[in-house]
Amino acid sequence: MNPVIRLAPVVSASRFGAYRELTIEAPEMAAGARPGQFLNICIQPGGAHLLRRPFSIARADRDGGTVSIVFDPIGLGTQWLGAREKADIVDVVGPLGHGFDVTADPGVDLLVGGGYGTAALAFLAAELEARGGEVHAIVGARSRARLYEDTILDESCASIAVVTDDGTAGVQGLVTDPMPEMIKRFAPRVVFGCGPMPMLRATAAVAADAGVPSQLAVEEFMACGVGVCWTCILPVRANGSLKHLRSCTDGPVFDGEAIAWA
Amino acid sequence: MGVDLAITLGGARLANPIVTASGCFGSGKEMSRFVDLRSLGAVVCKTVTPEPRLGISPPRGAETASGMLNAIGLQNPGVAAFREGDLVWLAERNVPAIASVGGHSVADYVRCIEALRGAAGLVAIELNLSCPNLEDRGFMFALSAERTAEVTAAARAASDVPVFCKLSPDVTDIVAIAEAATGAGADGLSLINTTLGMAIDPLTFRAKLSTGTGGLSGPAIKPIAVRCIWQVHRALPHVPIIGMGGIAGVEDAVEMILAGATAVAVGTANFYDPTATETIARALADFCEAHGIASLDEIRGQVKIEG
């Protein structure tokens, strides 16, 4: 669908461990949103910080007409958003970007999520499961408080491996540690990933070693989010040559093997 | 009563004075999801060069107070692909186009202009003489009156449409550069390009742009733009000026017209408000009606300076 720009009321604002979840009323966005797409949200109306901030869509409730985002309130924009309460108004553009490609026939897939990046994969898991697929997931974070867990993910996945850097939840280690074993066991067609860039880079490498294609949702600085500023480019190799593709309109989901990691 | 907002820009007739700033609107395709391009005077396209350019490595942008820094390195598909793709797309929709051309030598500008001759819907060419982001920074034409005159004369001779020179504010005397451009045949001036800035992350010690420095844009630079337009208009009152730099609302557009601008371009505002151009174009008609302004000629350059 074409993205829209609108003022949207906050329906609920809640805590998820260290993270915040914000649900807004935006029926047309809820109806058209695909997993992997993002919203671009104004973070300081009338203030000196003009640029919107991009957030992956964590959930789209088509019947309820709402969309949700999950974020870590560590920066100026996320702290402002984290302070929003029910009935506050936010200025949103979306849904933006290409989501994950889920058009293939149903099969077995592996999701790898780091930190709040897992939220976008919960949306994807529900979609893949609804299409008749079998979904397995590896969910990781620095510690238990930064682990994104939700019932949609639990209900949509046939199995979930939990990993934390410090061992406060699940197995101690990195999300890539269980990958070779899970790839061997479930033989997924695709590895879908969302999380910090170093994690995505490692995920792409493990998937490539195992001969499994990967679709990764990247996070880059974006001034506009709508395809005109060319600040959010990601170096990608295509047909032997290097291209600078826009994370906003050419992404934010890219083929992990094509990304020319810095 | 209808207010007539039509303007003439060095021979090019536009339905209204609100246009887009080069590099802030693509060629309109992406933005047409948010605005009716026919509500604008013209679309000023992103700068093209004779050959495709990959642009620089990220990070390419950083937010700053009331603005942002960018360094893109003129990523573009090359003038031929631009003409066959974006220019045709705009012409099919009857949207007047102004092409922005750049390069590293006088010959590069001439090559671009020759490649654009006869293009349908092309109403003017803007020479990007002031992009501070190229790797070879010795070639910033707009810093020198002589080089500005040299490239302008060659461009004017090659072009079949009006030629506008886009100047940098990062000079000691912008009037001297403006006079060099018009003396060499420029049909008008675009004022201003970004001003060179820098931002550093205090925690990582890293510059926020991969090039170190980049162009500062947004409302933070608007007073610099208004000053440049006013200085140049006072010296060259008959030269049409496309004013730009921090335009975010209709009051900003009126301010630039009072300083002497004939047209006004919306740039960085498109990034955070994709509807900004159409909103301002419509609001300008309302503003004129509300204030009894029948034509923008009544207010152009009419700033009052008391004391």
Side-chain angles (χ1 to χ4, degrees):
Chain A
M1 70 171 280
N2 259 352
V4 295
I5 175 168
R6 64 167 294 154
L7 297 175
V10 173
V11 174
S12 73
S14 54
R15 283 169 186 268
F16 248 108
Y19 304 135
R20 301 287 183 280
E21 184 185 69
L22 208 62
T23 298
I24 59 169
E25 189 183 324
E28 65 287 81
M29 293 184 195
R34 312 294 309 155
Q37 287 191 302
F38 67 95
L39 305 178
N40 216 11
I41 306 182
C42 178
I43 53 105
Q44 202 190 49
H49 295 273
L50 302 167
L51 302 180
R52 291 166 185 271
R53 303 292 193 266
F55 297 91
S56 287
I57 298 171
R59 189 173 304 135
D61 177 353
R62 286 169 188 128
D63 299 331
T66 63
V67 285
S68 307
I69 57 168
V70 173
F71 54 92
D72 194 1
I74 44 161
L76 187 113
T78 46
Q79 281 169 355
W80 183 89
L81 266 185
R84 293 314 93 199
E85 295 173 353
K86 188 172 176 174
D88 282 350
I89 301 290
V90 290
D91 181 341
V92 189
V93 178
L96 293 165
H98 287 290
F100 293 104
D101 180 3
V102 296
T103 55
D105 289 337
V108 180
D109 292 307
L110 176 63
L111 315 187
V112 181
Y116 59 88
T118 304
L121 297 181
F123 186 14
L124 174 65
E127 179 85 17
L128 290 170
E129 203 250 345
R131 294 174 60 86
E134 178 185 321
V135 186
H136 300 274
I138 305 170
V139 173
R142 288 213 302 272
S143 63
R144 174 178 288 277
R146 315 189 76 78
L147 198 62
Y148 179 85
E149 296 172 290
D150 83 7
T151 51
I152 292 180
L153 195 66
D154 294 344
E155 287 162 10
S156 308
C157 292
S159 75
I160 300 180
V162 176
V163 183
T164 51
D165 291 8
D166 63 2
T168 49
V171 176
Q172 183 170 9
L174 302 174
V175 287
T176 43
D177 293 345
M179 272 184 73
E181 172 63 25
M182 286 181 78
I183 289 173
K184 202 177 284 176
R185 211 165 121 207
F186 301 119
R189 302 167 312 170
V190 181
V191 170
F192 294 96
C194 187
M197 289 299 262
M199 184 217 103
L200 294 180
R201 180 180 190 160
T203 301
V206 174
D209 279 350
V212 181
S214 58
Q215 291 188 31
L216 309 176
V218 304
E219 208 173 50
E220 287 284 348
F221 169 87
M222 283 178 193
C224 77
V226 296
V228 296
C229 77
W230 293 88
T231 58
C232 68
I233 62 100
L234 188 74
V236 169
R237 265 181 250 289
N239 307 322
S241 69
L242 189 70
K243 286 194 159 70
H244 283 160
L245 300 183
R246 293 163 294 185
S247 297
C248 63
T249 49
D250 302 313
V253 177
F254 290 94
D255 171 3
E257 277 193 85
I259 299 172
W261 302 97
Chain B
M1 99 182 183
V3 181
D4 182 16
L5 292 180
I7 56 160
T8 303
L9 265 189
R13 187 93 183 134
L14 304 184
N16 75 64
I18 303 301
V19 302
T20 65
S22 177
C24 300
F25 203 80
S27 289
K29 207 178 278 184
E30 295 88 353
M31 299 305 283
S32 69
R33 297 177 295 170
F34 302 100
V35 294
D36 174 8
L37 301 181
R38 297 290 306 279
S39 69
L40 310 180
V43 168
V44 183
C45 301
K46 178 168 165 55
T47 299
V48 291
T49 51
E51 301 297 331
R53 284 178 58 96
L54 188 58
I56 63 164
S57 301
R60 290 178 167 191
E63 188 181 53
T64 57
S66 296
M68 65 171 287
L69 290 166
N70 86 86
I72 309 299
L74 292 184
Q75 179 168 353
N76 79 94
V79 66
F82 165 72
R83 176 172 180 164
E84 290 157 20
D86 290 349
L87 269 189
V88 169
W89 187 89
L90 286 167
E92 283 170 358
R93 284 155 186 80
N94 291 313
V95 178
I98 297 177
S100 169
V101 302
H104 296 299
S105 63
V106 171
D108 279 352
Y109 286 86
V110 172
R111 272 182 72 195
C112 285
I113 292 167
E114 286 175 345
L116 292 169
R117 285 179 71 94
L122 186 70
V123 297
I125 279 173
E126 184 175 88
L127 307 182
N128 179 354
L129 302 181
S130 40
C131 184
N133 299 319
L134 300 182
E135 296 97 321
D136 43 354
R137 296 194 13 224
F139 287 98
M140 285 200 289
F141 290 84
L143 298 188
S144 147
E146 291 76 19
R147 302 211 62 161
T148 295
E150 184 189 352
V151 69
T152 303
R156 181 54 281 172
S159 179
D160 56 0
V161 292
V163 172
F164 276 66
C165 292
K166 185 166 179 178
L167 303 186
S168 165
D170 296 345
V171 293
T172 309
D173 181 4
I174 195 161
V175 171
I177 311 290
E179 286 173 340
T182 54
D187 299 285
L189 301 167
S190 296
L191 302 172
I192 58 175
N193 208 317
T194 55
T195 178
L196 200 61
M198 187 173 186
I200 302 168
D201 186 323
L203 298 179
T204 63
F205 295 13
R206 287 191 181 135
K208 291 191 177 178
L209 300 178
S210 69
T211 43
T213 61
L216 179 65
S217 65
I221 71 165
K222 195 186 74 174
I224 300 173
V226 173
R227 178 269 295 178
C228 289
I229 293 162
W230 176 72
Q231 286 179 324
V232 170
H233 179 70
R234 195 173 50 161
L236 300 165
H238 301 296
V239 174
I241 294 170
I242 306 175
M244 69 201 77
I247 297 290
V250 67
E251 292 87 356
D252 302 321
V254 172
E255 192 177 347
M256 284 201 179
I257 295 166
L258 288 167
T262 295
V264 176
V266 183
T268 301
N270 290 295
F271 297 165
Y272 54 90
D273 176 8
T275 65
T277 47
E278 181 172 350
T279 303
I280 294 170
R282 299 201 186 286
L284 185 59
D286 296 341
F287 183 97
C288 289
E289 195 148 344
H291 294 83
I293 299 163
S295 159
L296 293 172
D297 295 340
E298 293 173 15
I299 64 165
R300 184 169 306 109
Q302 295 304 306
V303 53
K304 296 174 189 164
I305 298 173
E306 282 155 16

